[in-house]
């Protein structure tokens, strides 16, 4: 399977005129066909738009599945939308979207060639995107540890309550037996 780093795809359903049937029926006849738009983040001049092939369905399986599940073109991309990243100004978001960069993950994975097309500040933006993603990853790990810690605290509390109940029952049994020890005689 080819390396798709920095290459993204969005799928769409488009009406395509069926020339033979149109001539036969004397009116326009259309059939829906699946199309794919393949683009490189950071390069607004390189884009492929064509009918979907079986290879496209395999190569971009995640995006194709989201398309089949009804996602719009932008929703087929996975990651944090640039608009949800507080680091960028609205004007920067528009500039990045103009060169097919829609997510923080795409920005973090930009090639040096794509960075040159963005111009000054591209290295800082990609470094900030990488740092943001690393922080988010560490934050999610910390959240998971905190949740596990709370779960374990609850378990310890439950076990402590169980031990108290057992101690009360043991004392009750001990007092019922007239103070005699329930242990074995030595």
């Amino acid at each position: 399977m080819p390396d798709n780093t920095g290459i993204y795809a969005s799928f769409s359903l488009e009406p395509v005129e069926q020339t033979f049937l149109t001539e036969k029926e004397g009116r326009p006849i259309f059939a829906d066909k699946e199309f794919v738009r393949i683009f490189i983040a950071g390069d607004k001049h390189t884009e492929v738009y064509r009918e979907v092939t079986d290879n496209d369905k395999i190569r971009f399986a995640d995006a194709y599945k989201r398309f089949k599940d009804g996602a719009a073109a932008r929703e087929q991309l996975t990651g944090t939308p640039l608009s949800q990243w507080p680091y960028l100004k609205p004007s920067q978001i528009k500039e990045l979207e103009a060169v097919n960069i829609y997510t923080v993950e795409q920005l973090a994975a930009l090639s040096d060639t794509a960075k040159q097309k963005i111009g000054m500040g591209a290295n800082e933006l990609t470094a900030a995107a990488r740092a943001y993603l690393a922080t988010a990853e560490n934050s999610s790990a910390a959240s998971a540890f905190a949740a596990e810690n709370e779960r374990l605290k609850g378990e310890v509390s439950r076990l402590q309550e169980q031990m108290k109940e057992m101690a009360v029952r043991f004392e009750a049994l001990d007092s019922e037996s007239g103070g005699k020890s329930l242990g074995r005689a030595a």
Side-chain angles (χ1 to χ4, degrees):
M1 181 179 248
D3 180 21
N4 285 333
T5 304
I7 301 172
Y8 303 91
S10 67
F11 294 87
S12 61
L13 200 58
E14 303 291 336
V16 175
E17 186 173 10
Q18 306 297 299
T19 311
F20 176 75
L21 291 175
T22 295
E23 289 174 5
K24 182 179 172 188
E25 296 291 324
R27 61 184 174 86
I29 305 288
F30 290 85
D32 288 334
K33 299 281 186 178
E34 293 177 343
F35 279 79
V36 63
R37 180 176 156 266
I38 302 170
F39 60 96
I40 299 170
D43 186 353
K44 67 179 181 179
H45 300 294
T46 305
E47 182 176 302
V48 174
Y49 184 76
R50 60 177 159 76
E51 200 167 328
V52 173
T53 65
D54 288 336
N55 184 45
D56 296 328
K57 293 175 186 179
I58 294 166
R59 183 177 180 190
F60 304 106
D62 291 340
Y64 186 73
K65 181 182 183 319
R66 285 189 296 280
F67 160 69
K68 291 307 267 182
D69 291 342
R74 283 269 178 96
E75 295 168 350
Q76 292 173 32
L77 297 172
T78 54
T80 305
L82 293 176
S83 60
Q84 298 301 311
W85 188 32
Y87 185 82
L88 294 176
K89 295 181 254 178
S91 59
Q92 290 175 305
I93 293 170
K94 290 289 185 197
E95 288 173 8
L96 291 170
E97 287 177 348
V99 290
N100 294 326
I101 301 170
Y102 302 102
T103 67
V104 177
E105 289 78 1
Q106 287 177 316
L107 182 58
L110 280 183
S111 67
D112 289 337
T113 306
K115 286 184 211 173
Q116 288 174 349
K117 290 178 182 176
I118 291 174
M120 288 186 59
N123 285 329
E124 290 79 14
L125 284 176
T126 55
R130 283 192 208 105
Y132 173 78
L133 294 174
T135 302
E137 188 175 317
N138 292 340
S139 173
S140 70
S143 295
F145 289 138
E148 176 69 6
N149 192 23
E150 288 302 313
R151 187 190 68 76
L152 290 173
K153 283 180 182 177
E155 182 73 12
V156 167
S157 295
R158 188 184 64 76
L159 290 172
Q160 286 174 336
E161 286 299 315
Q162 226 177 15
M163 290 295 290
K164 286 178 188 174
E165 287 176 21
M166 289 175 67
V168 169
R169 287 182 185 170
F170 186 73
E171 283 181 26
L173 284 173
D174 194 36
S175 63
E176 284 177 14
S177 66
K180 294 180 185 174
S181 174
L182 292 177
R184 285 190 246 163

